[in-house]
């Protein structure tokens, strides 16, 4: 299984530190956050890790090239234009034939390894795609991709999985189908790549992964998995401090 870790973003929510240090390189204990994410992917069964970086973020490559235990497992592709998350994932398409695990480079999740849980849910459902979810308060709904689950979404609790019936990228609160936000982890059938290649720009004029998953839904099942733990967004100083607290003693 290939894991794709998009990490080419500019880190504008964490300036001035990100002028020289990519947010993914900020340490959680002694390890850069992106190292924790690579370990999560390996523990979930990935044997091929593709880091999507930019030329300004070569330091990530230098870091992993210095690690003998990961030698041969990590590859690099470059996203030369910032055209959105869908565009970043598409850069890693070459050579991927099976399902791809996508882990956002600025999201850490507490509790059981979310990628491993999602691989298990996929296996139990005939290899279906799975998207990791967390409930968010109303004031944060418009910052995320929001999903509608089959049946009563309100009854779907921590650790549950259910079929997704709709997704919308960064909806206004009054138009949001629920309070369940897409939260940094995806296990996607390889069919996502041909959809991304033809995906027209969506929210913010960017190629949105959410929009391509919405099209995937028309032909195959996609499940949502509500993390029992919490997602920590290390892309801003407050989230980073919370992540340090949440992973204190774990990493
Ligand atoms: C991206 C996705 C969005 C998702 C979010 C957190 O948005 O487009 O659907 O909810 O990550 O995983 P971004 O934070 O890059 O704007």
């Amino acid at each position: 299984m290939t894991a794709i870790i998009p990490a080419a973003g500019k880190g504008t929510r964490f300036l001035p530190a990100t002028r020289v240090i990519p947010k993914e390189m900020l340490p959680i204990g002694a390890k850069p956050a992106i190292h924790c994410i690579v370990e999560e992917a390996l523990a979930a069964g990935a044997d091929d890790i593709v880091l999507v970086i930019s030329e300004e973020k070569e330091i990530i490559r230098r870091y992993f090239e210095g690690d003998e235990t990961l030698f041969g497992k990590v590859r690099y592709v470059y996203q030369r234009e910032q055209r959105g998350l869908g565009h970043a994932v598409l850069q890693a398409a070459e050579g991927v034939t099976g399902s791809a695990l996508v882990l956002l480079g600025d999201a850490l999740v507490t509790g059981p390894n979310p990628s491993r849980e999602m691989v298990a849910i996929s296996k139990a459902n005939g290899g279906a795609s799975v998207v990791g979810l967390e409930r968010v308060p109303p004031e944060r709904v418009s910052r995320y991709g929001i999903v509608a689950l089959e049946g009563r979404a309100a009854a779907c609790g921590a650790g549950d999985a259910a079929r997704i019936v709709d997704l919308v990228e960064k909806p206004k609160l009054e138009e949001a189908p629920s309070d369940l936000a897409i939260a940094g982890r995806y296990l996607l059938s390889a069919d996502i790549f041909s959809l991304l290649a033809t995906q027209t720009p969506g929210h913010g004029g960017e190629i949105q992964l959410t929009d391509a998953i919405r099209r995937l839904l028309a032909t195959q099942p996609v499940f949502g998995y509500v993390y029992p733990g919490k997602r920590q967004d290390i892309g801003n100083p407050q989230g980073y401090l919370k992540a340090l607290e949440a992973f204190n003693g774990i990493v």
Side-chain angles (χ1 to χ4, degrees), residues 118-230:
M118 287 163 61
V119 168
I121 292 164
S122 175
K123 277 197 185 134
N125 290 283
S129 298
V130 186
V131 175
L133 305 173
E134 70 168 347
R135 281 192 194 279
V136 293
E139 65 276 13
R140 283 170 53 207
V141 157
S142 63
R143 289 195 224 161
Y144 300 103
I146 302 289
V147 309
L149 295 178
E150 193 176 64
R152 285 181 54 241
C156 207
D160 289 344
R163 267 181 86 155
I164 292 179
V165 291
D166 201 7
L167 311 85
V168 38
E169 180 66 13
K170 303 195 172 83
K172 291 194 187 112
L173 178 59
E174 52 285 10
E175 284 158 20
S178 78
D179 61 349
L180 286 166
I182 301 173
R185 299 291 182 272
Y186 311 78
L187 179 60
L188 298 170
S189 112
D191 297 323
I192 199 70
F193 296 114
S194 56
L195 294 170
L196 284 173
T198 56
Q199 186 60 52
T200 50
H203 188 273
E206 297 188 331
I207 309 288
Q208 297 292 350
L209 184 56
T210 303
D211 294 345
I213 299 172
R214 189 166 196 269
R215 286 164 65 216
L216 189 67
L217 264 188
T219 59
Q220 50 189 271
V222 180
F223 285 75
Y225 163 62
V226 186
Y227 306 135
K230 266 192 81 64

Side-chain angles (χ1 to χ4, degrees), residues 43-80:
D47 51 6
D48 175 36
I49 311 274
V50 187
L51 302 186
V52 184
I53 60 172
S54 64
E55 262 134 29
E56 296 84 67
K57 294 173 93 171
E58 285 284 344
I59 192 172
I60 297 178
R61 182 171 191 155
R62 246 202 290 149
Y63 175 80
F64 284 104
E65 285 180 347
D67 189 319
E68 279 172 25
T69 56
L70 295 174
F71 189 77
K73 288 187 185 146
V74 185
R75 306 190 276 131
Y76 307 85
V77 299
Y78 289 80
Q79 186 187 15
R80 295 205 157 81

